[in-house]
């Protein structure tokens, strides 16, 4: 097995493990972070509905900003507060809580989200 395939399998295994422990409810939806080499995405999801329902989202693809994960966290936090969501469960998607994932979480906390 090549290194790339082994890395992806490890990531998928960590994602399944995290999703087994973290789920979003109406009172405390799940903050899902997806990171690629070029961009970072954040969604607030309510899993208690039949299928996962995205309540608010933000990413670096938006025209408002192109540079920082922390600003994405602040934007998703601001949108969540406007939607009446104050507490979330953080889903790091199998990624290490470091770098851009940590910056996004810090930005969301600065905007007023609790997790």
């Amino acid at each position: 097995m090549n290194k790339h395939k082994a890395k992806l399998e490890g990531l998928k295994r960590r994602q399944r493990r995290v999703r087994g422990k973290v789920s979003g409810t109406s009172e405390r939806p799940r903050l899902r972070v997806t990171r690629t080499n070029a961009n970072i995405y954040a969604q607030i999801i309510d899993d208690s509905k039949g299928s996962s329902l995205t309540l608010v989202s933000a990413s670096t693809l938006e025209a408002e900003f192109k540079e920082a994960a922390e600003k994405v966290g602040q934007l998703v936090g601001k949108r969540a507060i406007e939607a009446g969501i104050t507490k979330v469960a953080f889903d790091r998607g199998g990624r290490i809580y470091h770098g851009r994932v940590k910056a996004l979480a810090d930005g969301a906390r600065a905007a007023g989200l609790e997790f």
Side-chain angles (χ1 to χ4, degrees):
M1 178 182 308
N2 63 23
K3 283 184 181 181
H4 182 68
K5 191 171 183 179
K7 229 175 151 178
L8 287 178
E9 285 183 6
L11 176 62
K12 293 295 181 189
R13 187 172 49 249
R14 288 189 304 275
Q15 286 173 341
R16 283 192 306 270
R17 185 171 59 230
V18 168
R19 279 295 290 127
K21 297 175 185 177
V22 177
S23 65
T25 62
S26 297
E27 303 83 42
R28 191 179 180 106
R30 175 170 56 102
L31 173 59
R32 169 74 167 133
V33 177
T34 305
R35 179 184 64 82
T36 64
N37 287 338
N39 296 300
I40 192 159
Y41 310 86
Q43 296 177 307
I44 295 185
I45 303 168
D46 184 3
D47 293 314
S48 65
K49 308 288 189 232
S51 62
S52 297
L53 176 68
T54 301
L55 304 172
V56 293
S57 65
S59 75
T60 53
L61 293 176
E62 297 180 25
E64 297 172 13
F65 30 23
K66 286 282 189 183
E67 66 271 356
E70 186 172 358
K71 290 186 180 182
V72 172
Q74 291 173 350
L75 180 64
V76 76
K78 185 182 88 171
R79 289 180 182 174
I81 297 295
E82 290 172 358
I85 301 165
T86 57
K87 293 185 178 183
V88 296
F90 189 69
D91 177 5
R92 58 189 171 78
R95 302 289 184 171
I96 298 171
Y97 187 79
H98 175 70
R100 291 187 289 160
V101 174
K102 183 179 184 301
L104 189 140
D106 291 342
R109 282 192 185 105
L113 285 180
E114 294 179 28
F115 55 92

